[in-house]
Amino acid sequence: MARTKQGSTVAPETLEEKEVGFGELELKIAKPGLNADKTISVGGNFTELGENIQRVVDRYKGTQLTDENVAYVKTLKGQFVSLRTGIERERKEWKKVYIQPASKLIDSMCDELLAIVSEGETALGSQLDAYDQKRKDELTIVLKEYVADAVAKHNLRDEYACQIQLIDKYYNKTQAEEDSADDIERQAVELEKKQKEYDSGVALIKAECEDAGFLPDTYIRELEYKTATEIILEIKQDKKSKAELQAKVEAGEKVVIGEKLEDELEKAQALDKADSGEVRVRVLRVTYKPEQAKLMAKFFKENNISFEFINTDF
């Protein structure tokens, strides 16, 4: 005899009689309906089926198995498996029939609407962009007039005038035209200062080179990365070196150019470290005796260095 959860004894065959039809239970989900408040209602035998299943669960949950009822309990467990499989199958089938097609249809219809919206959005966006570009083009003409006035006012040469920038903030709708004009003037003032500093440096370099017969352009190029004061000191040192070499030549002494040449090449190499493999041009001043000319030419050729005779110091 078997005992139920409540402790009463029940014959195995009586248990089986109470569960007649349990194996035929199945979930049936009805066609969905749309409510007035646009919610969806879904009908089916959820409540009835749930109560029937729960009743069997309560009856057999905790039942002590015996040789007499174990076979039936195994059968009952198989029926629970069939129920689970059937519920999952009904859920998938219902979604396949009602949800998926509806979802695809809604997606398709919404995509068509979004395509129309996108067309309008793109068209209006293009029109607004064109309108704003026209505003910027007209403003650019005005700003360039301010630039031209500033260039003329401060006598800026082309290489400095081209450095005046029409920066982005000038085109902001909140930017006042007067503020942009003031900023352009500020740029011009700074560039005028740089131009005057450069011109002053050039004048000093030319004056310093004039009595020594040096080529001023060689030193003027250095204004890109040196101050005029540094270059003037360099010229004075070169004058001193030239005078010493000239004195040695006049005294008939042999002049060695190797060390000086290496120094100049090292300087050029240091300046080229930041470059990206571009061919550079450097002007060197070399002092030598006639018999050393071949050695110098050989050095340049063996190292694949192009050279050109420009001028002589003395």
Side-chain angles (χ1 to χ4, degrees), residues 55-308:
R55 186 165 50 250
V56 175
V57 170
D58 292 342
R59 181 176 298 123
Y60 289 93
K61 187 177 180 181
T63 296
Q64 183 175 354
L65 299 183
T66 66
D67 293 340
E68 288 80 8
N69 66 10
V70 67
Y72 176 70
V73 172
K74 287 182 179 180
T75 300
L76 195 60
K77 181 179 180 297
Q79 292 173 342
F80 272 96
V81 172
S82 297
L83 266 173
R84 173 169 53 79
T85 303
I87 292 171
E88 290 291 350
R89 182 174 58 250
E90 178 69 4
R91 174 166 59 181
K92 292 179 181 178
E93 185 65 23
W94 192 88
K95 287 183 177 180
K96 180 179 178 181
V97 173
Y98 298 110
I99 299 298
Q100 293 178 5
S103 178
K104 290 180 180 179
L105 179 60
I106 291 174
D107 286 344
S108 176
M109 291 188 295
C110 287
D111 286 343
E112 290 181 7
L113 289 174
L114 289 173
I116 299 173
V117 171
S118 178
E119 180 182 0
E121 186 178 358
T122 301
L124 294 177
S126 298
Q127 291 172 239
L128 289 171
D129 289 343
Y131 179 83
D132 192 54
Q133 187 58 51
K134 180 182 177 183
R135 177 187 68 84
K136 290 181 178 179
D137 292 342
E138 293 173 350
L139 180 57
T140 297
I141 295 174
V142 175
L143 293 174
K144 285 185 175 180
E145 291 177 357
Y146 285 118
V147 171
D149 292 343
V151 168
K153 176 181 176 181
H154 297 281
N155 298 312
L156 297 178
R157 294 191 296 275
D158 290 344
E159 62 268 29
Y160 289 93
C162 68
Q163 295 181 45
I164 296 179
Q165 299 179 354
L166 300 181
I167 58 181
D168 292 342
K169 73 174 184 178
Y170 295 171
Y171 296 95
N172 292 341
K173 293 180 180 179
T174 56
Q175 175 80 0
E177 183 179 315
E178 294 78 7
D179 294 337
S180 299
D182 291 343
D183 195 69
I184 289 173
E185 172 66 16
R186 176 192 60 77
Q187 291 187 60
V189 170
E190 293 178 357
L191 290 168
E192 181 185 24
K193 180 180 178 182
K194 291 182 179 179
Q195 180 175 274
K196 287 181 177 179
E197 290 175 352
Y198 178 84
D199 292 346
S200 176
V202 169
L204 290 172
I205 290 171
K206 287 182 176 180
E208 194 68 32
C209 290
E210 186 175 2
D211 61 344
F214 289 168
L215 296 174
D217 289 347
T218 303
Y219 297 99
I220 289 173
R221 294 189 189 97
E222 296 182 11
L223 283 171
E224 296 178 7
Y225 50 88
K226 288 183 179 180
T227 65
T229 301
E230 291 174 326
I231 297 172
I232 295 301
L233 292 174
E234 180 184 350
I235 295 173
K236 290 183 180 297
Q237 181 59 44
D238 289 345
K239 283 183 180 180
K240 181 180 178 181
S241 299
K242 176 185 174 181
E244 292 174 352
L245 289 172
Q246 190 170 5
K248 290 181 180 180
V249 171
E250 291 174 353
E253 296 182 25
K254 183 180 289 188
V255 178
V256 180
I257 65 171
E259 182 178 354
K260 184 64 177 177
L261 183 60
E262 288 180 2
D263 289 344
E264 296 295 338
L265 292 176
E266 286 179 4
K267 288 181 182 179
Q269 186 178 20
L271 293 172
D272 291 341
K273 282 183 178 179
D275 293 334
S276 56
E278 297 180 356
V279 175
R280 307 293 292 175
V281 178
R282 300 296 182 201
V283 180
L284 304 179
R285 223 172 26 261
V286 182
T287 305
Y288 59 94
K289 281 193 171 184
E291 61 269 21
Q292 295 173 314
K294 289 184 178 180
L295 293 174
M296 182 176 63
K298 181 181 178 182
F299 169 80
F300 285 122
K301 288 179 179 178
E302 288 180 349
N303 290 277
N304 196 28
I305 300 174
S306 299
F307 64 93
E308 176 186 0

